[in-house]
Amino acid sequence: MIEAIGRALLFDIDGTLANTDPLHLKAFNLVLGPRGHVFDHARFSRELQGFANVSIGERFLPDEAPERRALILDEKEEVFRTLVAGQIEPLPGLMALLDRADAAGIPMVAVTNAPRLNAELLLSGLGITHRFKALVIGAELLHGKPHPLPYQEGLRFAGASAMASAFEDSRTGVQSAAAAGIPTIGIRTSLNHADLVAAGAIASASGFDDPDLLTRLAAAMAW
């Protein structure tokens, strides 16, 4: 397959490739609830969704030592992985879009603030690990989302520039991709159109089978 010069698709994972946010919410409540922090969907989308665990620990476990915060949030991730096992379903239209990008020779990169174990589990569970040229983990960089660095790294791996497009479902993710100069489409799994556009998305879609999204991508990717 010959890669299309200067074109690329960059994807967040949680809430973008699969609607895993309800299971993250449940896992956070199971682990942080006994420590005095209970979240509904609205609070989750404002204060947890898309944030790296280091910043979540600093905010919600300020009296714990950094090492203890990390252990508590590792427990949350273990709970999440248990909950999600066998329940990973792609968003509507995802597989067809990946097929189309592969056929057009467009490289794809996954860019996430999730821990590597989570990201690899989800990509493997969807059967799409091989689709991505690289997996960028925010926690393994100097800065995670909402800093542009994760998406700048994604562009570097993809070898793309102006013809890239990104897909995100969180405020921090949209901010990261937009700050890296990538036109970003918000996926409405947890946030509404207004929230995603306010964060910097150029448009939003309910899934990857959204006709407006497909029309926009056809123009942007020239396929």
Side-chain angles (χ1 to χ4, degrees), residues 24-155:
H24 278 292
L25 172 58
K26 184 175 182 179
F28 273 118
N29 279 330
L30 286 170
V31 173
L32 295 184
R35 295 174 169 87
H37 303 290
V38 178
F39 302 87
D40 59 12
H41 173 81
R43 190 180 181 204
F44 168 83
S45 68
R46 288 194 310 270
E47 301 177 14
L48 297 174
Q49 183 196 27
F51 286 95
N53 278 349
V54 170
S55 64
I56 291 172
E58 290 171 349
R59 180 168 185 178
F60 295 105
L61 301 167
D63 297 328
E64 302 283 0
E67 296 81 4
R68 178 63 181 156
R69 290 177 196 159
L71 287 173
I72 292 169
L73 289 167
D74 282 348
E75 178 188 354
K76 176 264 162 181
E77 301 304 347
E78 290 175 6
V79 170
F80 167 76
R81 289 192 291 271
T82 299
L83 292 172
V84 81
Q87 298 191 51
I88 307 170
E89 296 290 339
L91 252 63
L94 174 65
M95 296 307 186
L97 175 61
L98 299 185
D99 286 344
R100 190 170 185 180
D102 274 341
I106 295 174
M108 293 176 283
V109 175
V111 182
T112 181
N113 265 356
R116 181 169 288 276
L117 281 176
N118 289 24
E120 291 177 344
L121 172 66
L122 292 173
L123 293 179
S124 175
L126 291 167
I128 58 175
T129 303
H130 64 287
R131 303 274 199 166
F132 294 95
K133 190 168 184 177
L135 169 59
V136 178
I137 304 293
E140 297 175 0
L141 302 174
L142 186 61
H143 303 287
K145 303 173 188 180
H147 194 278
L149 183 58
Y151 274 98
Q152 290 168 343
E153 281 292 285
L155 288 174

